[in-house]
Amino acid sequence: MQADLKWLDDPQTYRVNQLPAHSDHRYYRSVAEVQAQQSSFVQSLDGTWRFAFAQTPSERPVGFEQPDYDHHDFNEIQVPGHIELAGYGQLHYTNTLYPWEGKAYRRPAYTLGDTTGMPGMFSQGADNTVGAYLKAFTLNPELQGHRVVIQFDGVEEAMYLWLNGHFIGYAEDSFSQSEFDLTPYLQAGKNLLAVEVFKRSTAAFLEDQDFFRFSGIFRSVRLVAQPTVHVNDLTIRANVLDDLTTGDFNLRLKLNDDAAQAQAQVRVMLQTDDHVVIDQTLPVKAEVHVDHVSVPNVHLWDHQDPFLYQLRLEVLDATGKILEVIPYGVGFRRVELKDKVMQLNGHRIILNGVNRHEWDAKRGRSVTLADMRYDLQVFEAHHINAVRTCHYPDQIIWYYLCDQNGIYMMAENNLETHGTWQKMGAVEASDNVPGSLPQWQGAVLDRARSNYQAFKNHPAILFWSLGNESYAGDDIAAMDKYYHDHDQTRLTHYEGVCRNRVYQDRISDMESMMYDPPKAIREYLDHDPQKPFVNCEYMHDMGNSLGGMNSYTDLIDQYPMYQGGFIWDYIDQALLIDDEVTGRPVLRYGGDFDDRHSDYEFSGDGLLFADRTPKPALQEVSYYYGKYDR
Amino acid sequence: MANTTAKVNVVYGDGTLGLNGSGFQYIFSYERGGLESLKHHGKEWLYRVPKPTFWRATTDNDRGNHFSETSAMWLGADLFSTCTKVEVAVDDQPIPLPIAPVNNQYTDHEQANSVTVTFTYTTATQPQTTMTVSYRVDGTGTIVVHAHFTGQDRLPALPALGLRVIMPTAAQGFQYQGLSGETYPDRLAGGQPGTYDVTGLPVTPYLVPQECGMHMTNSQVTVTRTTTLNNADPDDDPFTLTVQQTSQPFNFSCLPYTAEELENATHIEELPPLRRTVLTVFGAVRGVGGIDSWGADIEPQYRLPADRDYDFEFEIMGPKD
């Protein structure tokens, strides 16, 4: 198969040769590797790559993926990172209006009666910058002789991949992992990987988040070797019976195709530091199940006590030798709607939440582990017990950290299309996507699937969120159905259905609003509410703000169906750059880069300044969230 | 221990009224319309006469709900309100304004138990209203400052109401007894009562400079400086001025900039170099709000309607021994 630029224009092409999404488990060669958290199956490709930048698709270096292409004028770039922060491409911040506003006229393919699919809209887009990335690598000895896949944790916004000149695949969805099988084209010695990253594709209509519009390989890239018998996917269901004291453990493993013939076994262990709950060894099949293991007096997982049982899977070959070891933290907890109130382990959930964009003032959305650890310290110090991953999946490690720290997650997939239906403050949905358009449903369902499949085993996730501000139609309803069909242990969230009530029985288990004044929330709660109420965004902390929070927290005491919310938002999005006059580092926002149309300082709504120093308002959050931290 | 029975010496000048005593020397200017000089132990604390303040630098929420547009008249009032009347009382008895020839009757050794000078400021608004600021000085040098705003029902809600004191040089810092952090009427529950030392004159670095640094419900604030503009004063030892509450706690901010300076900047790095100290005592503070930043007004109890009178009072302590 050959790469085709037309895919950029076609909402029905969003993944080509990508491996199916699966659980985000890590695997190791030995128990010792698990303990060292260093897997010899993994070879990081982070670091310096070679790079060429083109302002438009027509100016891009066609054929650069071929090893014999003349690459002498390629520069260097650091991966992970944004192309714009590396000095290529203009920095640009805009909120609702699409980044091409006033520069290019675009309507999403298949809206307004279009049947052409809008050929050329992005593949010939004058605003569609291109990054051509090259990375030469030699497989580590530990990976040689294995099936080898490559994982891109985040590439914005559409990417084509080649290895040694052979086309491998194509991916969209900037914030979900994209994985490809490299095995057929790997060669001994030096290999040349080529990635062509386009800033825009039809995915741009789905990724209209209120943020800086970046492009590039902004999260880690790695090669991962797979042993002959390999667990591709695991589904853990650590349920709690309605006595709230008995755990009900279920596990389903999906193994690779070769596994069934391998005479292999898998040892399943579930344990705590001082107690072995399960230790079974089962023959390997395409699917391996452990069903309904009862765990009496189970130690429940919650915010106050995020207790994790340790699951360890050991895949053994016919001789009993370990092929791979998979560790996973298991939290037993029960999420349910009872009397129209959301409960965790039999207790009403109160969400002391924040919306958290991934942000680092120097690195943009390419955040570091240190950033995440700092954020969790802030959460703990100020009684923040919940986070909404607005409006895309975060780095994988963040979900593990939330498991360990007892942070309730509203795990949102990558979707925001407010530019297609919020027109100067009014609801005008005539060119809305995804809407009920069949041509767009595949792409958004894929985003839901990627989110669910990767993160389904994290106890921290209590809610799946279908995206943000994308109006409501059949396609969003299909996403809701996908989550419910696959997961009876969590609830779904979507705010946009309140803009199109026709779908209210099919979308979202909770009534979610943003920025409703307290009075309007009372109105809802006083008039036979059908769903519990959550503020998916409230207390807009732009500049000097966050006054009157008690008017919201008072509702917690007065209405059982009021279950708190997520402050907008955790951290200002602004960039630390050197002042052109003084040379001193200063924080800059939209419009400061000659970028137009811009929404200027509107991304400065955090409880923290962009450099992670707290705003004065944080003490107020600490006080009110502290009152309900229980 | 200050001598509480001491009398204040009164200098009935031709354009000013001088009041002095042990360690203090104050000059009230009839022409400038306010307290022109406040010296303790020879150190000057005033750059220009204190003036009523009616403005705060627009917050993002103010911009979103168009508050600054509807209340824009108060920006003019903040900049351009003028003193239209001066009154003097000696030992709490009003006297005719003691300018020539009335002051020809006095000597070079006049004394009193107390002297009160009251300035009336007429606002640059349409319609106009007034704010009076009175200074009652006793023999210890203590100044009780009382302000009265006269309500006017045809004026828009106030962004702020206070008395702004601009000091000649930037302070080293200040210590206050009140609530931790930056607080507003609708955002003070998280403030912990205590005594806090603030180093320098921090401007909260909101992306766009705006109203900041408010401290609600204080019993005291002490500003420390080390420098003066006096060419004959090479000394750089710290010296202090203390404001304290009378019957009610007071609100203040202590910043290097006026509301107008903050208002003009789009980035913090555009603000001018630190030169002054702007200590503003606020009799009423508008809340900051938080429902959204594109239209929601702050809740009614945190607004400052202009159709009612406001009174506030505080005390500038006399010189420390």
Side-chain angles (χ1 to χ4, degrees):
Chain A
M1 180 185 272
Q2 294 302 306
D4 193 336
L5 230 53
K6 288 179 189 157
W7 298 339
L8 299 173
D9 304 320
D10 180 6
Q12 296 165 101
T13 305
Y14 42 86
R15 57 194 294 151
V16 176
N17 291 343
Q18 229 182 301
L19 295 171
H22 56 76
S23 59
D24 66 351
H25 61 285
R26 292 169 288 193
Y27 55 97
Y28 302 82
R29 240 188 198 94
S30 65
V31 174
E33 283 193 4
V34 173
Q35 284 158 353
Q37 293 190 43
Q38 191 74 44
S39 175
S40 59
F41 287 125
V42 175
Q43 179 175 346
S44 172
L45 293 182
D46 291 351
T48 304
W49 291 44
R50 298 200 67 192
F51 182 75
F53 178 76
Q55 284 290 348
T56 65
S58 63
E59 295 166 84
R60 78 194 197 284
V62 175
F64 86 103
E65 70 276 7
Q66 296 304 324
D68 60 1
Y69 186 92
D70 179 5
H71 297 128
H72 81 272
D73 58 350
F74 272 51
N75 296 308
E76 290 186 339
I77 197 168
Q78 292 302 307
V79 169
H82 301 296
I83 289 172
E84 292 76 9
L85 285 175
Y88 308 96
Q90 189 175 10
L91 290 162
H92 184 197
Y93 163 62
T94 177
N95 175 14
T96 307
L97 293 174
Y98 278 98
W100 49 80
E101 175 73 16
K103 299 166 202 160
Y105 176 82
R106 287 185 172 120
R107 283 289 179 268
Y110 306 111
T111 62
L112 302 167
D114 168 59
T115 55
T116 67
M118 306 281 187
M121 180 185 286
F122 295 105
S123 60
Q124 296 167 35
D127 57 349
N128 197 0
T129 62
V130 188
Y133 289 78
L134 289 169
K135 181 71 172 176
F137 68 89
T138 301
L139 273 190
N140 288 347
E142 295 90 340
L143 278 75
Q144 290 175 14
H146 291 279
R147 183 181 189 229
V148 174
V149 302
I150 188 167
Q151 296 176 336
F152 292 87
D153 285 353
V155 181
E156 192 166 4
E157 185 166 72
M159 64 164 276
Y160 295 78
L161 173 67
W162 294 265
L163 178 67
N164 299 323
H166 300 280
F167 176 66
I168 300 291
Y170 171 80
E172 295 177 1
D173 188 352
S174 306
F175 298 90
S176 295
Q177 190 181 71
S178 302
E179 195 174 32
F180 303 91
D181 187 1
L182 295 184
T183 318
Y185 299 111
L186 275 171
Q187 58 196 32
K190 197 171 147 190
N191 289 271
L192 184 67
L193 202 65
V195 186
E196 195 168 45
V197 179
F198 290 80
K199 184 156 184 165
R200 311 223 192 285
S201 71
T202 50
F205 281 111
L206 305 177
E207 298 182 13
D208 192 32
Q209 285 91 341
D210 174 14
F211 59 18
F212 275 91
R213 308 303 174 106
F214 293 129
S215 66
I217 306 175
F218 73 100
R219 288 181 183 163
S220 288
V221 186
R222 69 189 70 78
L223 302 169
V224 188
Q226 297 179 354
T228 35
V229 183
H230 170 63
V231 176
N232 268 326
D233 181 66
L234 62 146
T235 304
I236 299 164
R237 287 283 180 257
N239 298 326
V240 179
L241 300 186
D242 56 13
D243 64 2
L244 298 173
T245 56
T246 308
D248 171 44
F249 180 80
N250 302 268
L251 178 68
R252 191 180 70 217
L253 309 180
K254 288 185 182 171
L255 288 100
N256 58 322
D257 295 340
D258 307 335
Q261 291 86 46
Q263 304 277 308
Q265 293 182 301
V266 58
R267 183 178 178 192
V268 177
M269 283 170 284
L270 184 70
Q271 55 200 357
T272 64
D273 285 347
D274 51 12
H275 179 56
V276 176
V277 181
I278 297 173
D279 188 349
Q280 301 180 5
T281 303
L282 303 164
V284 158
K285 295 179 287 187
E287 284 207 13
V288 174
H289 290 234
V290 175
D291 293 322
H292 296 302
V293 176
S294 181
V295 185
N297 300 312
V298 70
H299 193 150
L300 298 174
W301 180 96
D302 70 7
H303 170 65
Q304 300 293 349
D305 181 15
F307 185 84
L308 295 174
Y309 289 71
Q310 293 309 316
L311 174 69
R312 189 202 290 167
L313 305 175
E314 295 178 1
V315 177
L316 311 166
D317 72 7
T319 69
K321 177 171 164 285
I322 289 181
L323 295 174
E324 67 177 7
V325 185
I326 299 168
Y328 215 101
V330 174
F332 284 87
R333 86 282 181 282
R334 180 184 177 97
V335 178
E336 61 192 324
L337 257 177
K338 213 167 183 175
D339 302 327
K340 298 195 275 192
V341 173
M342 299 188 292
Q343 294 191 349
L344 175 68
N345 302 335
H347 301 289
R348 172 189 173 211
I349 294 168
I350 294 171
L351 296 167
N352 294 330
V354 292
N355 284 274
R356 175 181 171 274
H357 269 291
E358 289 185 314
W359 191 256
D360 179 299
K362 290 182 178 162
R363 300 175 52 85
R365 284 191 289 279
S366 184
V367 298
T368 65
L369 185 59
D371 290 332
M372 294 183 230
R373 292 198 189 286
Y374 181 93
D375 295 348
L376 286 163
Q377 287 171 15
V378 171
F379 284 18
E380 184 180 2
H382 300 288
H383 310 286
I384 294 165
N385 72 0
V387 67
R388 176 177 180 221
T389 69
C390 60
H391 302 296
Y392 44 79
D394 290 341
Q395 283 188 36
I396 292 170
I397 186 70
W398 177 245
Y399 298 78
Y400 285 92
L401 292 170
C402 287
D403 290 345
Q404 292 159 14
N405 289 275
I407 302 301
Y408 302 149
M409 299 184 84
M410 176 172 278
E412 193 153 277
N413 53 235
N414 177 17
L415 181 65
E416 174 147 21
T417 67
H418 54 178
T420 67
W421 65 273
Q422 279 184 19
K423 308 289 171 97
M424 292 185 65
V427 174
E428 205 300 293
S430 52
D431 72 326
N432 172 238
V433 288
S436 297
L437 297 165
Q439 297 92 341
W440 289 82
Q441 191 176 108
V444 296
L445 271 180
D446 186 59
R447 285 160 189 253
R449 184 185 305 112
S450 295
N451 191 42
Y452 167 74
Q453 292 294 350
F455 302 120
K456 58 184 176 268
N457 295 319
H458 289 283
I461 298 174
L462 309 191
F463 318 110
W464 297 114
S465 181
L466 316 182
N468 188 60
E469 297 185 31
S470 300
Y471 200 57
D474 291 348
D475 295 357
I476 303 274
M479 296 170 78
D480 191 284
K481 183 173 186 307
Y482 176 86
Y483 282 116
H484 275 122
D485 284 350
H486 287 78
D487 193 350
Q488 285 80 55
T489 69
R490 296 182 176 94
L491 303 172
T492 60
H493 164 268
Y494 184 65
E495 174 269 348
V497 70
C498 68
R499 316 288 171 192
N500 189 3
R501 292 282 185 189
V502 172
Y503 288 87
Q504 66 184 3
D505 297 331
R506 294 165 62 192
I507 296 175
S508 191
D509 292 322
M510 59 197 89
E511 173 81 1
S512 169
M513 295 289 270
M514 44 176 70
Y515 311 109
D516 251 11
K519 197 173 68 174
I521 299 171
R522 286 177 191 279
E523 286 277 302
Y524 170 77
L525 292 166
D526 282 335
H527 291 88
D528 189 26
Q530 294 307 301
K531 298 177 183 178
F533 186 94
V534 165
N535 286 303
C536 68
E537 297 175 17
Y538 78 124
M539 296 309 307
H540 195 257
D541 195 30
M542 184 178 182
N544 191 351
S545 182
L546 215 122
M549 190 167 168
N550 62 309
S551 295
Y552 289 99
T553 53
D554 284 352
L555 300 171
I556 295 174
D557 299 325
Q558 293 163 19
Y559 298 95
M561 286 175 68
Y562 179 82
Q563 304 211 254
F566 300 85
I567 290 172
W568 189 267
D569 57 357
Y570 174 69
I571 184 168
D572 278 5
Q573 298 172 66
L575 289 165
L576 196 64
I577 65 161
D578 291 337
D579 183 5
E580 65 281 358
V581 175
T582 65
R584 285 201 288 265
V586 292
L587 284 166
R588 289 287 164 87
Y589 50 80
D592 287 343
F593 309 98
D594 291 344
D595 49 320
R596 304 289 187 282
H597 165 77
S598 181
D599 287 283
Y600 304 94
E601 68 273 25
F602 194 68
S603 62
D605 320 325
L607 298 176
L608 268 51
F609 293 106
D611 62 3
R612 281 193 158 67
T613 55
K615 278 189 195 168
L618 190 57
Q619 71 176 9
E620 198 75 354
V621 176
S622 197
Y623 173 79
Y624 285 113
Y625 277 0
K627 278 178 77 174
Y628 298 97
D629 187 2
R630 55 193 186 215
Chain B
M1 188 73 190
N3 180 359
T4 52
T5 60
K7 296 208 170 199
V8 55
N9 302 314
V10 187
V11 180
Y12 292 98
D14 289 326
T16 68
L17 185 75
L19 300 175
N20 60 68
S22 176
F24 71 92
Q25 188 174 47
Y26 306 147
I27 299 172
F28 294 88
S29 169
Y30 309 134
E31 293 172 309
R32 301 289 170 215
L35 176 57
E36 186 181 7
S37 174
L38 189 164
K39 268 188 183 178
H40 283 178
H41 301 301
K43 302 283 191 183
E44 180 58 69
W45 280 94
L46 297 178
Y47 181 65
R48 294 288 186 269
V49 297
K51 283 282 186 76
T53 190
F54 301 106
W55 191 250
R56 74 175 187 192
T58 302
T59 67
D60 289 311
N61 290 346
D62 289 341
R63 212 178 324 275
N65 61 34
H66 304 285
F67 173 75
S68 296
E69 296 163 42
T70 55
S71 289
M73 258 199 276
W74 292 116
L75 173 60
D78 194 81
L79 287 165
F80 302 119
S81 292
T82 49
C83 179
T84 47
K85 187 160 78 173
V86 184
E87 296 158 286
V88 176
V90 176
D91 292 335
D92 299 323
Q93 295 302 310
I95 62 167
L97 191 66
I99 51 175
V102 177
N103 61 343
N104 290 341
Q105 63 182 295
Y106 295 117
T107 67
D108 64 353
H109 52 272
E110 298 294 332
Q111 290 194 323
N113 290 316
S114 75
V115 176
T116 303
V117 188
T118 301
F119 300 92
T120 297
Y121 299 92
T122 299
T123 61
T125 55
Q126 191 56 250
Q128 296 175 323
T129 187
T130 59
M131 181 155 138
T132 60
V133 179
S134 70
Y135 301 84
R136 185 180 189 277
V137 181
D138 68 17
T140 68
T142 297
I143 310 172
V144 175
V145 183
H146 186 98
H148 173 82
F149 172 86
T150 303
Q152 161 55 258
D153 63 8
R154 284 183 290 149
L155 287 172
L158 287 153
L161 185 65
L163 186 72
R164 180 174 60 221
V165 177
I166 301 181
M167 300 172 180
T169 61
Q172 298 301 107
F174 56 96
Q175 184 191 69
Y176 70 95
Q177 290 168 20
L179 300 173
S180 61
E182 179 187 273
T183 46
Y184 289 86
D186 54 353
R187 200 183 77 207
L188 50 67
Q192 296 289 321
T195 300
Y196 297 96
D197 283 299
V198 177
T199 303
L201 297 170
V203 176
T204 314
Y206 296 115
L207 274 187
V208 174
Q210 54 196 273
E211 159 62 30
C212 65
M214 186 65 72
H215 297 282
M216 299 296 296
T217 63
N218 306 276
S219 57
Q220 196 172 83
V221 57
T222 297
V223 179
T224 300
R225 290 162 57 217
T226 59
T227 57
T228 69
L229 296 179
N230 179 356
N231 62 294
D233 176 12
D235 180 27
D236 60 359
D237 289 342
F239 55 100
T240 65
L241 185 74
T242 296
V243 169
Q244 65 179 15
Q245 74 168 77
T246 54
S247 59
Q248 297 293 318
F250 63 94
N251 317 303
F252 78 95
S253 67
C254 190
L255 298 164
Y257 306 116
T258 63
E260 288 77 15
E261 286 171 316
L262 290 168
E263 186 78 66
N264 273 336
T266 66
H267 293 79
I268 193 140
E269 62 268 22
E270 294 164 13
L271 290 164
L274 251 68
R275 289 183 187 279
R276 319 268 178 238
T277 303
V278 182
L279 175 70
T280 310
V281 176
F282 290 93
V285 177
R286 174 178 159 85
V288 288
I291 292 171
D292 66 38
S293 305
W294 48 88
D297 202 350
I298 64 173
E299 294 179 284
Q301 66 270 34
Y302 305 120
R303 300 174 198 164
L304 305 180
D307 63 357
R308 47 156 287 207
D309 289 8
Y310 294 89
D311 281 89
F312 63 99
E313 190 177 276
F314 58 94
E315 186 174 288
I316 300 170
M317 288 177 71
K320 288 169 187 154
D321 293 337

